Amino acid sequence: MQKLHPTICIRLFLQFISSISTMTVLPYIIIYFAGKLGSTITGVLFLCVMSSTVLGSICGGYLSDKIGRKRIIIFAEFFIFFGYIGAALANYNWGMFPYLTFLFFICIQFSNGVVEPVYQALVIDVSKPDQRKTIYTYSYWLRNLGVAIGSMIGAFFFFTNLFLLLLGVAFTTIISLLITIFYIEETYHPTLNIKESKDGSHLQMWREYIKILKNKFFAVFLIASLFIVSVEEQLTNYIGVRLATELPETIPLASFFSFEVDGINLLGILKAENTILVICFTLMVMNIVKKWNDRFILLMGLFLFFGGYIVISFTTTPFILIIAMFIASIGEIMYIPIQQTILANIVPSHARSTYMALYSIAIICGMSAAGIFLMISSWFPPIILTAFISLMGMISFLLFYKLTFRRTVLSVNQKNAD
């Protein structure tokens, strides 16, 4: 860590405290809206929030490459702070106002969409290629540790102290904003393009995104990454519902263990297992495989990840599910730092935020695709859905196999292009 740029260390710290605070609220806010407004309206509101995040990513990514990183981060974090203060006041002692809360969360998620690709570009700006695997390993570990701590706090206090939790997120946001203002320097100074400055139209932004999507290497990377997210999100969508439906009654966790669980208990155990394994074994696993070839680590990780989730998608035997989640989690630990490193290495310096915005949108699309699986699960038998999941895994694996086969040549070409 001492070898990393101070800006990266600050960002890792801010990411950690931000993960803790936001995860006290975000996993449970959908339950809040469903309880106040019903499932149908909540579904519509959820789509609106997702759309605002996508729109924010499009705007933030493009603007950051035109005017720099720091101003965008300050602007976005101020509005995130404003959104959480507003949401807190909308749920104070004088009453709870879910529609007003929703409007503030639109502001929050739009601003999160704006700032997320900028954060990623900022880290790439000040990192060296040989440092990025280490950076993304620490980032992945700290994020999951923060998620675990924050989710645990939220589970105990969300429904009794929502006002205070929302104020807590606002407090950490203003701390992050002040640290950014005083301790993070601008990492990117764009060159003014006179033609673009005269154009000034929204069409220029869309032309930029269309141009990036014509980069076949990056477009294929987005598709492969989208499939990864879609498979992973099945656990809290289709797989979770299937377990709850097929195991309504408790059964022994294992033949040699008398503890009994039902489908919902199993889902909680699998999610907790994944989080605990990531927190406890990320640094250990990456230390073990650090001398291995990066391509082999990536492909082996993807193979274990998809293999584990394919098994989870069709079996209801608790012990097998736990073993499969262990395999999938080890695979996840292996592939994520390499995947993120490849992403960082293929984006050109003059358009990093714009590229990262498209990557963020691909992640959101992958999450939405998992929701589509849940919708069609009543039309198809489980074996067909398992086949679909297997197909997505196979396509993603083959795409990464092809991409990494060409990666060295393309990296050299990219440096020359920069």
Side-chain angles (χ1 to χ4, degrees), residues 61 65 69 121 188 208 212 347-357 418:
D65 286 329
R69 318 289 189 218
Y188 179 68
E208 190 72 23
I212 292 173
V347 296
S349 59
H350 67 276
R352 282 174 177 152
S353 288
T354 313
Y355 272 76
M356 290 302 176
D418 288 347

Side-chain angles (χ1 to χ4, degrees), residues 17-30:
I17 64 171
S18 175
S19 296
I20 293 175
S21 62
T22 56
M23 291 307 290
T24 62
V25 173
L26 293 184
Y28 310 101
I29 198 68
I30 196 79

Side-chain angles (χ1 to χ4, degrees), residues 98-150:
Y99 285 109
L100 186 57
T101 303
F102 161 71
L103 292 178
F104 283 117
F105 267 91
I106 285 285
C107 173
I108 291 166
Q109 290 305 107
F110 175 84
S111 302
N112 277 327
V114 168
V115 80
E116 186 58 33
V118 187
Y119 282 148
Q120 297 181 51
L122 179 141
V123 170
I124 300 173
D125 288 340
V126 294
S127 64
K128 299 175 182 177
D130 61 345
Q131 296 176 327
R132 287 169 184 162
K133 185 166 69 171
T134 300
I135 293 168
Y136 290 120
T137 299
Y138 279 112
S139 174
Y140 171 64
W141 181 69
L142 287 170
R143 183 174 64 250
N144 278 275
L145 181 59
V147 167
I149 297 171

Side-chain angles (χ1 to χ4, degrees), residues 14-56:
L14 295 180
Q15 178 192 26
F16 177 59
I17 64 171
S18 175
S19 296
I20 293 175
S21 62
T22 56
M23 291 307 290
T24 62
V25 173
L26 293 184
Y28 310 101
I29 198 68
I30 196 79
I31 302 173
Y32 165 89
F33 284 120
K36 300 291 182 182
L37 304 173
S39 300
T40 302
I41 295 178
T42 299
V44 175
L45 299 184
F46 177 74
L47 291 176
C48 293
V49 169
M50 295 277 283
S51 300
S52 69
T53 307
V54 170
L55 181 61

Side-chain angles (χ1 to χ4, degrees), residues 114-333:
V114 168
V115 80
E116 186 58 33
V118 187
Y119 282 148
Q120 297 181 51
L122 179 141
V123 170
I124 300 173
D125 288 340
V126 294
S127 64
K128 299 175 182 177
D130 61 345
Q131 296 176 327
R132 287 169 184 162
K133 185 166 69 171
T134 300
I135 293 168
Y136 290 120
T137 299
Y138 279 112
S139 174
Y140 171 64
W141 181 69
L142 287 170
R143 183 174 64 250
N144 278 275
L145 181 59
V147 167
I149 297 171
S151 299
M152 189 179 302
I153 295 171
F156 284 99
F157 298 108
F158 181 85
F159 295 102
T160 57
N161 295 277
L162 177 58
F163 172 75
L164 292 178
L165 290 181
L166 290 168
L167 279 185
V169 184
F171 176 75
T172 56
T173 303
I174 199 67
I175 292 297
S176 178
L177 175 60
L178 292 174
I179 290 175
T180 300
I181 292 173
F182 293 109
Y183 292 100
I184 291 183
E185 298 180 358
E186 178 60 71
T187 62
Y188 179 68
H189 301 277
T191 303
L192 178 64
N193 187 312
I194 297 176
K195 181 180 179 181
E196 286 186 3
S197 64
K198 288 181 178 180
D199 185 350
S201 67
H202 297 298
L203 290 177
Q204 180 62 34
M205 178 175 70
W206 296 111
R207 291 193 198 105
E208 190 72 23
Y209 280 108
I210 292 172
K211 179 182 177 181
I212 292 173
L213 288 174
K214 291 180 180 179
N215 179 336
K216 293 182 179 179
F217 188 98
F218 184 69
V220 172
F221 182 91
L222 291 183
I223 294 171
S225 300
L226 185 153
F227 284 143
I228 290 176
V229 175
S230 183
V231 170
E232 183 177 18
E233 289 295 315
Q234 299 303 329
L235 185 63
T236 52
N237 286 273
Y238 160 67
I239 294 173
V241 172
R242 182 184 67 83
L243 290 175
T245 303
E246 296 185 11
L247 293 176
E249 304 294 334
T250 58
I251 60 174
L253 188 63
S255 58
F256 51 84
F257 194 43
S258 60
F259 182 73
E260 294 190 343
V261 293
D262 59 19
I264 296 176
N265 298 148
L266 261 178
L267 178 61
I269 289 171
L270 294 177
K271 288 178 64 63
E273 178 189 7
N274 175 255
T275 303
I276 292 170
L277 287 172
V278 168
I279 292 171
C280 295
F281 292 105
T282 293
L283 302 182
M284 181 188 300
V285 170
M286 293 311 296
N287 189 55
I288 292 172
V289 304
K290 66 181 180 180
K291 293 184 179 180
W292 297 4
N293 178 272
D294 283 354
R295 183 176 187 241
F296 178 78
I297 297 172
L298 173 70
L299 297 178
M300 178 57 70
L302 289 172
F303 179 79
L304 295 175
F305 173 80
F306 288 125
Y309 270 95
I310 289 169
V311 173
I312 293 171
S313 71
F314 69 81
T315 187
T316 56
T317 304
F319 188 68
I320 295 177
L321 284 168
I322 291 172
I323 295 298
M325 179 51 74
F326 177 84
I327 294 171
S329 299
I330 296 300
E332 181 182 336
I333 290 171

